[in-house]
Each structure stands twice: as structure tokens, then as C-alpha cells.
Amino acid sequence: MNNHDCGLPVIGEADLCILSGKLPVLRRAFELAQQGKKIILAVRETCLAEDICQTFQYRLTPEECAFFPEETRTEKLMLLRPDEGKRYLEERCLEAGIKLLYGVWPVDCREWEEDTKAADGKNSGGAGKRLLRVADKGGVFGILCDEVWMDASASMETAPSPEGMSSKESRYTYTALIGGLPDKEAVVKEGCAVWKDQEIPYLLEGEEGRGILTVSLPSSRKENSCQEACGEEKPVRRVPWLSGKGSAGEIIISVFAQIQKEMPKLELGRFAPRPALVRTGEGNSAVRKIPREEGKWISLPSGKVFSGRNKALRRIPDDSLSRICICTGNGLPEEGRHRCLPAANEIRCTEEEYDLVVAGGGTAGAMAALYGARGGLKTVLLEPQFTLGGTSTVGGVSTYWFGNRFSDVREIDSETERVASALKLPRRDGIWSELDDFHPGIRAEVLTRLCLQAGVDIRFGELVFGTVCDDIPGGGRRCRGAAAAGPAGLTVYYGKAVIDATGDGDLAVFSGAEAVYGSDRDYITYWASLAQYTDVNRYKNNFSSMVISADPEDFTRFILLGRRRGDAVRDHGMYVSMRESRHVKGTYTVNLQDLMQFRTYPDGLYTCYSNYDPKGKLDADVIYCGMLPPQVQIQIPLSALLPCDGSGGRIEGLYVAGKAVSATRNVFPSIRMQPDLMHQGAVLGGLLAESLKKGSYPEQMEAEERRHFLLHLTDDPLTLPGGEGKIGGLSAEVPSSLEHLKEETQAITADSRTHWVDVPFIYEEKEESEILSVATAPSEEALPLLLKRLQEETRPYDWTDKENLRIRLLEMCLWHGYAEAAEELSAFVLRELSSGTLPEREGSTMCAQLLPDHGVMPETVYRLNLLGRSGRKCIIPVFRKVLDLLSGMDRDYEDIHKGIYHYVESFAYAAEHSGKTDADTAAEFIPMLRRLTEFPEFLSCLERERQVELMTERLQILLLILCRALAGLGEDEGRKRLRELEKEPAGLAVRLSARRALEEAGKKERKTDKIW
């Protein structure tokens, strides 16, 4: 949902807001905090001291050495140890009472009048204050403060030279991490290398086996002079270290290769997120105060306040005012979380025209821009980072996991390999290909170079925070462009088509699209990551906890916790990789049933391939009941990329790329792999180019024409095994063939596969599973066939072993609603529990990590959940026995085979489903749920000092589920504990989920159909 009309959320009030985290600025902020000033530090980056940490300029000056404690730097060369330095600065800020906000861009500021009232009618209390508007992934937010200070140094991200400074004086350096140096000595090596007939000075410095290689980038003087000679009136927006001649990454790769000939043991590590600007002739002031100008919005170009009066504080004339649709919250129902001020959704900005606007240069976005430009579209790519590739480059996941490798992906892989092979870089062994593992810096350089060669206008440092939309006569809406904040201020980019490749559906939500965050019921998502680097280029998989990136405060909380997690970590990454966030509602929503039935579509767009790899909390009933999805190919239709508003109307001109496509959270684990999302971006960009040059949109093309074009664009055949005759798409459910269903029911045996956890990684299931075929069929068709087999081929209570056919058929009957099967299955489970211990999982746990994960549970838990669906009283003794065993044991939640987490959760699952069918049975669960919530681990999981532990948030989720069940049964104790979970220090996802659970309990409305 969208909060366009809720006003401007205020996320902080202070005496002073500083829009920079550079080291000189921090030192001044600490001084002011000691004087009693209330300060907010609001910065675009995900760490402080960006002048050091974002540029990898770790060689500290004597003055800086005196500031950083000894344990944060090396002994001889005084190189900053990055993680220690970042944590030290954050801890000093927190100790000084300075509020940190990461990932925010300045928009504008103005005087705030005393008589202005908030949206709720209350006086704002903002007399004499400034209202600073900032943008993040959630849109626009407000900060009230007495003063606003900005960085007083020149911006390094923009090509125009400041007044009074010639382009000759604007020089840049670029840095990469280096490994393979001697462990016990310091290394300093200076010299010159040659790149394209130019001499490139370099400096290699290292200690403790690691170091930094810094190169001087060629001057941009000639390029700027040519543009000046052409009489361009508006500022040049091209980044001087990025052009068709080459990128900073290309230069440093070349220099490293030449040094490596002399020092063959060197290892090329990560590249700095951005170059560093070498400045001369400029004063040393760290920050500059933004002057007051009553009643006027003052534009705030990021990092561009130069010496001289107000030279960078530009006020755009009113006749160029662009009215944009701004999301003023974070797309979540958070009424009451932030107080809101009435603020017009207007910005003063420059405007630019393109054929295709792509917001986000990550996994899908970079490929979409590349293929759109190759198809002849004038394309702009807006990327808030200074590196392309997203999760695969700056996100720390530089190894593929499953996914198809069609021709578009193979091109990127082979070009990356061509560059890397000459450098003899170490890499991990591949499972599917020797190219599974790649160097993130080289991958980013390849993407950048190919985009530039195709003619893509790359705008680094540009965060999209709104869209421009027109209402269509007769109903509906069309997206015409995107508004972004960047190095040169605010710009609206118009296009014939706009691709939302933000990964989180940001533009779609700004435009009024309906979206689900996590699941329909709560905001619990799969885990996100702040990469953990153990060396200059080696990372550990640490997708560990949840974050709502659209909320600046929760985004900052996640980073602060993430930087304190992990053992033997040299550095944490700069980019928060989101495994799951929003799922934008499209013309069609793909679900888990589609995957299990090998469904294809008339508007099939691309094909994915994966095992079932959630890395987080699921809510699909079929998984709770023991049927895990197969390792298969799955087709995605174009209609899943077409966002719709709340009434189901298509938002024309806007397309969603990346992981926010229209799919349920339960099918999402099978469609989120990097190669598949790269392929998705390529086919979408190419298809848009093909249709736009013909004056239409992709969805308006004839199906055969579209399919023919896509087949020739890449080698994706758009077919699935057994998919013939199962074309779905716009229908809610594919009708089953009764004859086929009879055959599948007869094929069920005690050994029929229900899990694919144990299959090899290169395996691909190409045949339907009889179990899944029957499970996904309509109950009115499947149940009579199952009962017939149960009665004709088996005898009641004849259990020859735990895996016999009768138990399997009883489970399937319960799944399809035959509650009478509960009595016999209850007796079977009681026999399993008779040993006095909870049965552990016997099946494979391959790939499963810290629970809850992958739907991997002990087999007994699946049966408990099936019993819970029956609502019969005969199940109560079974659950009482389980509770007694849980109460008397050491509950090790981290042991995957024991599955304690899932045993506890089964009580909530059974209670809620019993509540739908039998109130008396549901009432029996109330004392058991109370007893569970009183376990010590649930009484301590909200203590602030425990939040760094990974298990803490998982326990909060489990407590939420238990209390939600209690509240749903009308218990005040459940509502009381949910109100506790609404408060900090729990993360925002848990807090919002608790609020939604309270709302749900008040309505007493619960979904009765199966969740897919």
C-alpha cells in the first residue's frame, strides 16, 4: 500500500543536522555534542568516515592517527583496520548521543512556521526550525532542526568544476585492496604503469599481508574543454573518471597486471566503492551552514557547497517546477509511528528526456539498461551506488547459486573470465561451471564497460525517490518518469518506459502499485546481509536477519548490528543485500502451486532454475505439512512484471525487474537466483526496445511475435518438462484431468518422494511427483480417490513401519480435509513419542541453516501440523505429550536435526487451524500456548544486549507466532505480549508484524483456504 496522502513523516528533531560523515566533520560533531548540542548525522553511505572507508584511503595522516586508537590501525604504516575503525566511530557517536541515519540523500530545506499544524491536527512545535527533506528508498522524510550543515568540500562525483577551480585542478585517485603481501614486513612501492599510451602513477602500500594499490586517474581536462567549446549551457553531468575511453576499474586492473609481473604472489582484492578527489587550493573547513531564506525551498546538491557565498545553493525558478508523486512514508501501514507534517509533494528540479529510464543498476537493472541501449533506445541508468552489479559485486555474493546460464549471462561470464584469467586470481570451485565464482570488481568493470559501449548514460550516486505519473482519462495511471536526488541536485528523468529495478519495487509503490511486504499476513522476510569479508576478497555467507530498507531508522539499526556480527571478519560490506522485501502485485501473481504443476503461460517471458532455497521463514501450508518443492525449472510470465494499483488497474509504462516481481513469498526462493535475474533484465530491456521502436508496449505485442523475438534474443526456449497442456497465466487455477489424477493417486507409495533436499546440485526434476500432483489437485477430486485406496488396499492401525503406505495415505487424506483420519494418525504419533524424547529429523538437512529455514523439519512435526488442521479433540493428548517433553529438555534451537523451533511452532499452527473448525479444541491449546511463552528464552529475547545474537530475532518471530495464536483465541495475555513486541529493541519487521497481529485479533477474521 502507499502513504501518499499521509503527509511528510518526521524521522528526527535536533539542534543540528549534519549531512556528512567525513572524518573532519565527525570531529567537529563530537565537539558540539560535548557542548550539549542534539545532533543528527544523516549520510548517504552505510558507514562513517566515507572519505576514508568509501575510497579505501586507509593510510592515515599523523593527525588521523592521533584520533584513532592504536588497536584500529597497523603498527608501521598506520593503515586503518576498516571494521575496527568503522565500529569505533559508530560507538563514539552513540556514546555522544548523536543519532545516525544511514542511506539518506538530501533533497531541500526551508523555514518551518510556528502555526503549521501536523496532519493529525496537532501543533507541530516547529517554531523557528528548519524543515529538511531527505530521501531514502522509502521516499521523502522530514527532519526538524535549528541548523543544517553540509560538507564544505567539492563533490567528487560530478564533473563540473566549481567556480574558481579549473578542471586541471580536479584530479582523482582510485584504490583496490591487495593481498599476497609479506606477513611480517611493511611494503611501499611507487612507480608508473602504462594504460592506453598514458602514464599512470601508482602507490602500493601494505602491512600484515594486505595492502592498498592507489592509481592516479587521467585528467578530464580535455573532455570538459570540448564540452565548453560546444557551448553547453547546463552543467556537464558526466563523471570524469567514467567515459567510453575507460573506467577507473579498467585502469586499476591494467596497473595491477603490470605490477603482478614483478610480484607474482599478489592478489587483487575488492575495488573501492568510489574514487577519491585530490584537491588543491581549497580551504580546510569541514562543513558549511545552510543559510536561512524565509519561505523558500533551497536545493541541496549533495556535497557541493564551495567557498564563496551560496554558490552551490541553487533555487530553481518556479516556472520549471515539476510536480511528482512522492511516497512520503515507506509503503507500510505505520500510522502513529512517525508524526507527519503537511508538505506539498513538489520539488524544484532539472528535467531530462530519454526513451528508457532504468532505476537501479544491480543484478537485473544493469542488464536491462544494456539490452535496452543495444536495441536502440536512448537509455539512462540511475544507480545510488558507484558500482554496477548490486548483490553480485558490492553485495558480497560473487558466487552463483543455481540459475540458468543463457546467452546473455554467458556473455558477462566469459568477458569477466577473459579479464580475470590473465591475473591468475584464486577462486572457489564451481558446481555448475568453472565460471560460478567471479571477481566482483572485474564483474562490475565489465558491466560498466559494456553499458558505456552500448551508449547507456550511467548516473552514479542517483537515488530515485519518486515518480511522475499522469492519470489516464477513464481510469488508470501512466508512469512518465522518475525523480532522483544525486550529486548535481534533483532531476526528473522522463522516458517512454520506466523499469523499476530497485529490487524492492520502490518506483511501483511510489506510483500507487499494490504490494505485499514479506507475506500477506506479516512483514517477516527472508534474511538480508551485510557482507562479511575475511580477507581482501573472500566473504562468508551471512544472510542472517531482517531489515526494512525503506525505513531509515531500521536500515541504520540493521547496519549497526550487522557490523558487530561475525568472527575473524576483516571488514563488512557497504551494500545491504536484501534477499526479500516487497512483492509488487502484477496482472498475474506466480505462486507455489504454479511451480509444483510445471505451469507455462501464453505470455511466458523467461525461465528460472533452482533448488528450494528460502533462507528464512515460510508460511505455505503444503510445506508445513511435509511436501517441499522440487528442484526444477519454472517459467515467469510478462504479466508478473506489470504492476497494478489497488483496484487492479495496470500502471502503464512501468515495469518491475529484479526480485520484486509479482510472486508469493513461498515461490520466491525458486526465482531469485542471480543468473535468472540477470536474464530477466536482459529480456525485459531487449523486449522494450523491440516494442517501443514499433510504437507499442511489450504486453501489446502478439504472443507468437513476442515469443519468436525472445527466442532469438537469447536461447531461452520458454518450455518446461511436462508443461504441454498446462498453460495457465490469467486463470486462477488449472483444471486437473481426472484420469491423470487417478493415475497419480495409484502411483503413490510409501517411498514416494516428498522432499528434494538430498538431490545433487546439478539435478533437475523433469517429471511430476505423484505426491505433489495429488496435493495440488482440488480436494473434491483428490479425496475420493485417496479414500478408495485407503479402504481397499490397507487396514486400520496396521503399521508395519513408520513409512508404510497407510500412514502416507492418511496424511494425504488429512491434507485434503478428511478430519476422521486424525484419530489413527494421533495414535501413530503417540507411539513415536513413547521413547520419551522428541524424534529428530531423519531426512537430509543439506543446505539448511539456522532454523527456521528451507521448511526442513522433523518428520513428526509435519504430522503434528497435519493433525492440527483437523481440529479434532483427539489431537490434544499428542500435543500435551510434546509440551511435556519440550519443558523437560535442553532446548537447542540451533540443532537442525532436533528441530525444536518447529516443534514449538506446531502448537500455534494447530491452535489457529483448530480455531477455524472447533472452538472447544482450540480452547485446549490456550494453557499450552501460555506455558510455551513463559519459557526463559522468550522472556529474554527482547533484552537490548541480546540483539546482536542471530537466534534472538528468530526467537522474537517464534514468540510473535505463539502470541498471535493466543490473541486470535481471545486471550489478553497474547495481546499483552504482542504490545511488548511492538516496541524496540525488536526490529521494525517484528514490530509491524506484532501490530498487524493485534489488528487481526481485533477483527477475528482468519483465512481459511490454503496458503501457496
Side-chain angles (χ1 to χ4, degrees):
M1 64 186 284
N2 205 333
N3 290 340
H4 291 165
D5 302 323
C6 296
L8 184 71
V10 176
I11 56 172
E13 296 188 39
D15 300 318
L16 173 63
C17 182
I18 303 177
L19 300 171
S20 171
K22 292 184 178 179
L23 192 59
V25 177
L26 290 175
R27 298 176 68 176
R28 180 66 176 138
F30 294 149
E31 293 173 3
L32 293 170
Q34 287 179 342
Q35 298 171 17
K37 292 279 188 181
K38 185 179 179 181
I39 297 173
I40 294 175
L41 273 177
V43 299
R44 293 177 302 171
E45 291 77 14
T46 55
C47 66
L48 297 174
E50 64 264 26
D51 46 335
I52 297 174
C53 299
Q54 287 277 316
T55 61
F56 289 178
Q57 299 292 306
Y58 292 141
R59 181 71 176 270
L60 301 177
T61 66
E63 186 180 20
E64 291 166 345
C65 284
F67 178 79
F68 283 102
E70 185 176 336
E71 63 271 16
T72 66
R73 47 187 167 81
T74 63
E75 183 178 352
K76 297 175 182 176
L77 293 184
M78 302 301 172
L79 296 171
L80 183 70
R81 296 189 176 106
D83 229 32
E84 286 91 334
K86 294 173 190 175
R87 285 199 301 267
Y88 170 73
L89 294 175
E90 289 172 346
E91 286 157 7
R92 281 206 58 179
C93 283
L94 296 175
E95 289 169 1
I98 296 173
K99 179 176 180 175
L100 290 176
L101 289 176
Y102 283 137
V104 295
W105 270 246
V107 175
D108 47 28
C109 63
R110 62 167 292 175
E111 292 289 308
W112 190 248
E113 286 142 31
E114 181 177 7
D115 60 352
T116 304
K117 295 186 181 298
D120 57 8
K122 299 177 182 177
N123 192 283
S124 69
K129 286 190 176 291
R130 322 270 331 259
L131 174 59
L132 169 68
R133 293 200 298 185
V134 296
D136 89 326
K137 281 179 63 62
V140 178
F141 298 84
I143 296 174
L144 284 172
C145 52
D146 295 328
E147 295 179 296
V148 180
W149 286 8
M150 291 188 71
D151 175 23
S153 62
S155 171
M156 69 179 176
E157 300 96 5
T158 185
S161 297
E163 294 181 32
M165 179 184 293
S166 69
S167 59
K168 182 178 179 180
E169 295 173 296
S170 297
R171 296 298 300 258
Y172 294 82
T173 63
Y174 191 53
T175 302
L177 301 181
I178 299 296
L181 294 170
D183 289 335
K184 297 182 180 179
E185 57 185 86
V187 175
V188 178
K189 177 180 173 60
E190 289 187 81
C192 279
V194 178
W195 174 76
K196 294 187 178 179
D197 298 326
Q198 297 187 64
E199 283 197 346
I200 306 293
Y202 69 80
L203 175 62
L204 174 63
E205 306 168 276
E207 192 172 354
E208 300 175 349
R210 307 177 184 92
I212 53 176
L213 171 63
T214 302
V215 301
S216 294
L217 299 180
S219 171
S220 59
R221 180 172 66 255
K222 182 180 292 186
E223 183 173 306
N224 283 345
S225 298
C226 290
Q227 287 156 341
E228 290 166 6
C230 292
E232 294 195 29
E233 296 181 0
K234 61 182 180 181
V236 178
R237 299 291 296 277
R238 187 174 293 111
V239 179
W241 38 267
L242 181 68
S243 69
K245 300 173 184 177
S247 67
E250 182 181 350
I251 295 170
I252 208 161
I253 290 169
S254 176
V255 172
F256 173 81
Q258 295 172 63
I259 299 174
Q260 193 185 43
K261 293 177 182 177
E262 302 175 40
M263 306 174 70
K265 293 184 178 180
L266 288 188
E267 177 186 341
L268 181 62
R270 290 184 293 138
F271 295 177
R274 65 180 70 172
L277 176 63
V278 178
R279 297 189 50 77
T280 59
E282 183 74 12
N284 295 322
S285 61
V287 288
R288 185 174 299 279
K289 186 186 300 185
I290 304 302
R292 295 177 182 271
E293 199 160 350
E294 188 172 351
K296 301 293 178 67
W297 286 108
I298 299 178
S299 175
L300 303 179
S302 303
K304 265 195 72 182
V305 179
F306 304 115
S307 58
R309 183 174 176 79
N310 300 346
K311 286 184 179 176
L313 304 179
R314 301 174 294 127
R315 186 165 66 255
I316 308 300
D318 288 344
D319 58 7
S320 65
L321 183 72
S322 296
R323 299 178 66 87
I324 66 168
C325 177
I326 299 175
C327 176
T328 55
N330 61 6
L332 302 174
E334 290 190 88
E335 186 178 351
R337 170 168 161 73
H338 300 298
R339 71 187 185 95
C340 291
L341 303 176
N345 293 340
E346 299 175 354
I347 60 169
R348 291 174 171 85
C349 61
T350 56
E351 299 173 288
E352 298 191 25
E353 294 275 355
Y354 288 87
D355 296 324
L356 178 62
V357 178
V358 182
T363 312
M367 297 293 284
L370 173 61
Y371 274 74
R374 282 179 174 177
L377 298 181
K378 182 184 178 184
T379 303
V380 65
L381 177 58
L382 309 174
E383 169 52 48
Q385 305 295 317
F386 287 79
T387 306
L388 296 185
T391 296
S392 66
T393 56
V394 287
V397 188
S398 54
T399 300
Y400 287 149
W401 184 252
F402 284 89
N404 287 310
R405 318 294 162 84
F406 295 117
S407 60
D408 40 22
V409 174
R410 293 198 304 270
E411 178 194 7
I412 305 301
D413 291 347
S414 60
E415 185 61 16
T416 302
E417 172 64 13
R418 183 190 67 78
V419 177
S421 60
L423 305 178
K424 300 181 176 62
L425 302 178
R427 65 182 177 196
R428 302 173 183 175
D429 293 334
I431 297 173
W432 300 271
S433 161
E434 62 179 7
L435 306 183
D436 288 349
D437 192 70
F438 49 86
H439 188 286
I442 294 175
R443 167 58 58 86
E445 187 278 323
V446 166
L447 289 170
T448 302
R449 175 161 45 84
L450 292 178
C451 281
L452 289 172
Q453 290 171 353
V456 178
D457 189 356
I458 304 175
R459 299 296 177 85
F460 284 130
E462 297 264 349
L463 176 80
V464 172
F465 63 91
T467 56
V468 182
C469 294
D470 289 339
D471 290 331
I472 299 174
R477 174 175 288 182
R478 186 170 77 88
C479 179
R480 295 199 299 116
L490 308 181
T491 306
V492 168
Y493 298 90
Y494 295 101
K496 296 175 183 176
V498 178
I499 295 179
D500 180 349
T502 60
D504 306 294
D506 296 338
L507 272 69
V509 171
F510 300 156
S511 301
E514 186 178 1
V516 172
Y517 201 102
S519 74
D520 285 313
R521 193 176 188 189
D522 54 42
Y523 297 95
I524 306 304
T525 65
Y526 305 135
W527 319 128
S529 168
L530 187 67
Q532 295 178 0
Y533 291 98
T534 57
D535 209 331
V536 294
N537 209 31
R538 294 176 180 84
Y539 74 94
K540 293 193 298 185
N541 189 327
N542 74 310
F543 283 84
S544 53
S545 60
M546 299 183 298
V547 59
I548 293 181
S549 63
D551 183 274
E553 293 173 309
D554 199 58
F555 185 69
T556 304
R557 175 200 64 85
F558 177 84
I559 293 166
L560 294 175
L561 288 177
R563 194 142 23 238
R564 284 145 186 82
R565 289 175 175 150
D567 299 322
V569 177
R570 175 171 172 75
D571 193 14
H572 283 78
M574 306 287 189
Y575 178 86
V576 174
S577 295
M578 302 281 291
R579 200 165 234 141
E580 181 198 19
S581 55
R582 293 191 188 102
H583 304 283
V584 174
K585 291 292 185 72
T587 307
Y588 180 76
T589 299
V590 182
N591 64 31
L592 198 52
Q593 197 172 25
D594 297 333
L595 179 146
M596 292 177 171
Q597 293 182 335
F598 291 90
R599 187 166 296 180
T600 58
Y601 308 85
D603 63 337
L605 182 66
Y606 67 101
T607 310
C608 303
Y609 165 57
S610 180
N611 68 337
Y612 194 65
D613 192 40
K615 296 293 186 294
K617 186 78 182 64
L618 300 153
D619 65 354
D621 291 304
V622 71
I623 290 172
Y624 273 88
C625 296
M627 292 163 277
L628 274 60
Q631 189 165 295
V632 294
Q633 300 276 349
I634 176 174
Q635 189 181 108
I636 306 299
L638 173 62
S639 47
L641 280 66
L642 309 180
C644 298
D645 60 25
S647 61
R650 163 88 173 99
I651 301 174
E652 292 185 6
L654 181 64
Y655 300 83
V656 175
K659 56 186 173 54
V661 297
S662 185
T664 66
R665 66 99 48 89
N666 294 303
V667 76
F668 176 68
S670 295
I671 68 174
R672 64 170 182 79
M673 299 304 155
Q674 283 186 37
D676 292 335
L677 295 179
M678 292 170 65
H679 176 54
Q680 174 214 69
V683 297
L684 179 60
L687 190 60
L688 275 165
E690 177 70 9
S691 63
L692 288 177
K693 68 186 180 185
K694 296 179 179 179
S696 65
Y697 286 126
E699 60 269 32
Q700 296 169 333
M701 295 173 67
E702 293 292 333
E704 280 303 312
E705 179 190 3
R706 185 171 52 232
R707 189 182 188 90
H708 180 76
F709 172 78
L710 291 172
L711 182 62
H712 285 81
L713 183 69
T714 70
D715 50 353
D716 184 349
L718 287 173
T719 58
L720 295 181
E724 297 79 8
K726 292 193 172 185
I727 294 181
L730 303 182
S731 61
E733 188 172 311
V734 176
S736 67
S737 162
L738 190 57
E739 196 59 40
H740 176 69
L741 185 57
K742 288 178 181 178
E743 294 173 1
E744 294 292 270
T745 305
Q746 285 300 124
I748 293 175
T749 70
D751 297 322
S752 290
R753 184 183 285 277
T754 58
H755 292 198
W756 281 258
V757 179
D758 59 335
V759 299
F761 293 137
I762 59 173
Y763 176 83
E764 178 188 333
E765 183 60 76
K766 296 184 178 181
E767 296 181 0
E768 288 183 281
S769 155
E770 58 272 17
I771 288 286
L772 298 187
S773 293
V774 175
T776 57
S779 294
E780 62 271 16
E781 295 180 8
L783 185 56
L785 299 174
L786 288 165
L787 288 172
K788 183 178 179 182
R789 279 203 75 191
L790 186 69
Q791 293 162 5
E792 292 180 355
E793 300 181 32
T794 66
R795 292 181 299 173
Y797 294 88
D798 181 10
W799 312 324
T800 56
D801 58 57
K802 290 198 297 185
E803 292 289 332
N804 83 9
L805 176 62
R806 182 166 181 84
I807 296 301
R808 175 58 53 83
L809 292 174
L810 284 171
E811 292 169 348
M812 295 301 294
C813 288
L814 272 170
W815 166 252
H816 280 296
Y818 184 64
E820 288 82 350
E823 186 171 345
E824 185 174 349
L825 192 63
S826 293
F828 181 79
V829 175
L830 280 173
R831 193 181 75 167
E832 289 186 303
L833 299 172
S834 62
S835 65
T837 60
L838 291 176
E840 297 185 6
R841 179 176 173 85
E842 295 180 351
S844 173
T845 60
M846 187 167 62
C847 294
Q849 297 180 9
L850 186 61
L851 296 176
D853 191 25
H854 279 74
V856 168
M857 310 177 194
E859 289 77 7
T860 302
V861 174
Y862 297 130
R863 297 185 183 110
L864 290 172
N865 291 333
L866 280 165
L867 289 173
R869 294 181 66 84
S870 73
R872 291 300 180 95
K873 272 203 170 181
C874 62
I875 71 174
I876 297 302
V878 179
F879 281 90
R880 284 176 178 159
K881 178 65 175 178
V882 173
L883 180 57
D884 288 340
L885 293 173
L886 280 170
S887 301
M889 68 184 296
D890 179 20
R891 293 178 294 279
D892 182 0
Y893 289 90
E894 297 188 19
D895 189 314
I896 297 172
H897 290 90
K898 291 181 178 177
I900 301 301
Y901 195 103
H902 296 301
Y903 271 109
V904 173
E905 187 183 9
S906 68
F907 285 82
Y909 189 84
E912 289 193 335
H913 283 81
S914 296
K916 300 170 187 175
T917 55
D918 189 293
D920 292 338
T921 302
E924 297 281 354
F925 278 97
I926 291 174
M928 290 190 280
L929 289 169
R930 283 178 177 167
R931 190 170 158 193
L932 288 167
T933 62
E934 292 168 359
F935 282 178
E937 57 265 34
F938 296 125
L939 298 175
S940 62
C941 67
L942 283 173
E943 295 172 357
R944 187 169 294 277
E945 60 271 16
R946 296 176 66 96
Q947 300 309 304
V948 173
E949 301 171 20
L950 292 182
M951 198 67 231
T952 297
E953 188 175 66
R954 289 158 167 79
L955 289 172
Q956 290 172 0
I957 295 171
L958 188 50
L959 178 60
L960 165 77
I961 292 168
L962 295 172
C963 293
R964 181 171 62 193
L966 265 177
L969 295 175
E971 286 299 296
D972 288 338
E973 181 63 23
R975 285 189 284 269
K976 176 184 174 184
R977 298 297 298 276
L978 286 173
R979 283 191 285 271
E980 292 175 6
L981 284 166
E982 272 194 287
K983 303 173 183 176
E984 293 185 1
L988 184 57
V990 171
R991 302 205 308 271
L992 288 176
S993 297
R995 177 177 300 181
R996 181 173 282 185
L998 285 166
E999 294 170 354
E1000 178 186 286
K1003 295 176 182 176
K1004 293 189 176 180
E1005 295 176 359
R1006 289 185 291 277
K1007 195 173 181 179
T1008 56
D1009 53 338
K1010 293 185 177 83
I1011 297 172
W1012 292 97

